């Protein structure tokens, strides 16, 4: 990090550096799930039996590259003066781990709250039809579909991700850590696989792939499961009832089969 600080300006690191970090983490974490689906590997952990066509996967990748360069990058460049004004810095010393941890936790909580309500708004009839339906073109999601969306949605829901750092003005290392964690979380939520090591198996409040995959399988405006990372907002407002009912029915079916054998 010290090399980067001494060889690049704050603007270059905060805009171009953030963009290249995002692209690297996003595609390196998302592309393996395309390979798993094409190769038919680990199918017992795949949530849906249906696979996406090669053309559908290539369409997703090409659109993502277009939107990332045409929307994400200009937004990162244009927003730098505001982040700088709010206190964003890359210089030494680095913040303490306590400061970093407290800010990351705050970002996750705030993002989840803002994303939930923004996502619910996008599932109103007009916005779903004209904007959010683009994201739902993939009823069987895979990792890279996490950022496949209408440009207006990229700006709208992207606000939930950047509002935390925007109002706290963190050190760049904190911003980068938040970006990496957020990308890994959303890729995992869209990956289409529920593994024994999935975080939702150990942290009940975490949504994960199984929780969000249900949201994509229902192609209408009131599918529920609107949260991004955690599930408590859906639980509080009762927008996960369909998912919970389905999980309960599956559990009863497994129990009945066990008794029969």
């Amino acid at each position: 990090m010290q090399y980067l600080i001494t060889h690049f300006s704050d603007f270059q690191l905060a805009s171009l550096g953030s963009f290249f970090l995002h692209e690297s983490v996003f595609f390196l974490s998302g592309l393996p799930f395309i390979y798993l689906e094409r190769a038919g590997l680990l199918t017992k952990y795949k949530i849906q039996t249906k696979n996406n066509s090669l053309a559908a996967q290539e369409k997703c990748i090409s659109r993502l590259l277009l939107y990332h360069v045409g929307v994400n990058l200009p937004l990162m460049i244009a927003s730098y003066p505001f982040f700088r004004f709010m206190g964003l810095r890359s210089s030494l010393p680095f913040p303490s781990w306590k400061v970093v941890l407290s800010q990351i936790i705050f970002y996750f909580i705030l993002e989840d709250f803002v994303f939930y309500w923004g996502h619910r708004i996008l599932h109103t009839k007009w916005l779903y039809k004209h904007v959010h339906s683009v994201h739902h073109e993939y009823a069987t999601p895979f990792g890279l579909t996490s950022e496949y969306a209408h440009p207006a949605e990229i700006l709208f829901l992207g606000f939930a991700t950047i509002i935390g750092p925007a109002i706290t003005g963190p050190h760049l290392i904190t911003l980068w850590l938040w970006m990496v964690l957020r990308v890994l979380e959303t890729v995992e939520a869209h990956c289409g696989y529920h593994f024994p090591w999935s975080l939702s198996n150990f942290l009940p409040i975490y949504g994960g792939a199984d929780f969000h995959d249900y949201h994509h399988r229902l192609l209408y405006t009131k599918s529920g499961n609107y949260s991004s990372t955690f599930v408590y907002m859906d639980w509080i407002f009762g927008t996960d009832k369909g998912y919970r009912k389905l999980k309960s029915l599956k559990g009863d079916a497994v129990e009945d089969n066990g008794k029969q054998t």
Side-chain angles (χ1 to χ4, degrees):
M1 185 68 184
Q2 189 169 356
Y3 174 85
L4 295 176
I5 294 173
T6 56
H7 286 77
F8 298 95
S9 67
D10 283 353
F11 169 75
Q12 290 172 326
L13 292 174
S15 55
L16 300 179
S18 296
F19 176 76
F20 289 124
L21 176 64
H22 171 274
E23 296 304 288
S24 300
V25 175
F26 178 70
F27 283 104
L28 287 176
S29 62
L31 285 172
F33 292 107
I34 288 183
Y35 173 75
L36 290 179
E37 188 173 285
R38 289 185 181 181
L41 300 176
L42 301 178
T43 53
K44 66 178 180 178
Y45 301 124
K46 198 169 186 303
I47 299 171
Q48 297 187 49
T49 57
K50 179 185 175 183
N51 289 329
N52 291 280
S53 67
L54 176 62
Q57 292 173 338
E58 291 178 345
K59 174 188 175 183
C60 176
I61 294 174
S62 62
R63 291 284 183 87
L64 283 170
L65 292 173
L66 175 63
Y67 293 156
H68 283 183
V69 174
V71 180
N72 291 11
L73 179 57
L75 180 63
M76 290 179 178
I77 293 174
S79 62
Y80 171 75
F82 177 78
F83 276 89
R84 182 69 175 172
F85 174 77
M86 294 301 294
L88 179 70
R89 65 180 180 88
S90 62
S91 59
L92 297 175
F94 293 141
S96 68
W97 68 268
K98 292 181 180 179
V99 171
V100 174
L101 180 61
S102 62
Q103 288 182 332
I104 293 296
I105 292 174
F106 172 67
Y107 297 163
F108 268 114
I109 294 173
L110 181 61
E111 190 277 339
D112 215 54
F113 179 84
V114 176
F115 184 96
Y116 174 84
W117 289 110
H119 196 184
R120 281 195 68 171
I121 291 172
L122 286 174
H123 274 265
T124 54
K125 290 184 178 180
W126 191 91
L127 285 174
Y128 182 87
K129 178 180 179 181
H130 297 282
V131 178
H132 193 49
S133 60
V134 173
H135 181 65
H136 277 271
E137 288 177 14
Y138 292 90
T140 306
F142 52 94
L144 295 182
T145 60
S146 57
E147 295 191 5
Y148 179 87
H150 191 286
E153 179 175 342
I154 295 173
L155 297 174
F156 185 60
L157 288 185
F159 175 76
T161 299
I162 67 172
I163 184 174
I167 63 178
T168 59
H171 192 281
L172 184 62
I173 200 72
T174 307
L175 178 65
W176 282 358
L177 177 59
W178 162 240
M179 180 188 301
V180 169
L181 293 175
R182 182 70 182 97
V183 168
L184 293 177
E185 180 277 322
T186 192
V187 168
E188 192 271 339
H190 290 81
C191 75
Y193 291 82
H194 183 70
F195 300 110
W197 55 86
S198 294
L199 185 58
S200 57
N201 292 327
F202 308 98
L203 187 64
I205 198 173
Y206 181 81
D210 188 64
F211 183 81
H212 194 69
D213 200 275
Y214 172 85
H215 176 81
H216 273 265
R217 293 199 301 270
L218 304 183
L219 301 180
Y220 53 88
T221 58
K222 296 181 180 180
S223 56
N225 291 19
Y226 300 116
S227 299
S228 61
T229 303
F230 306 111
V231 301
Y232 62 89
M233 289 292 291
D234 282 288
W235 180 78
I236 291 173
F237 294 100
T239 47
D240 64 347
K241 291 181 179 179
Y243 173 73
R244 298 300 172 193
K245 183 177 181 180
L246 178 63
K247 294 285 286 185
S248 178
L249 291 173
K250 286 185 176 180
D252 292 342
V254 171
E255 185 177 341
D256 291 340
N257 290 333
K259 290 179 180 179
Q260 292 175 6
T261 56

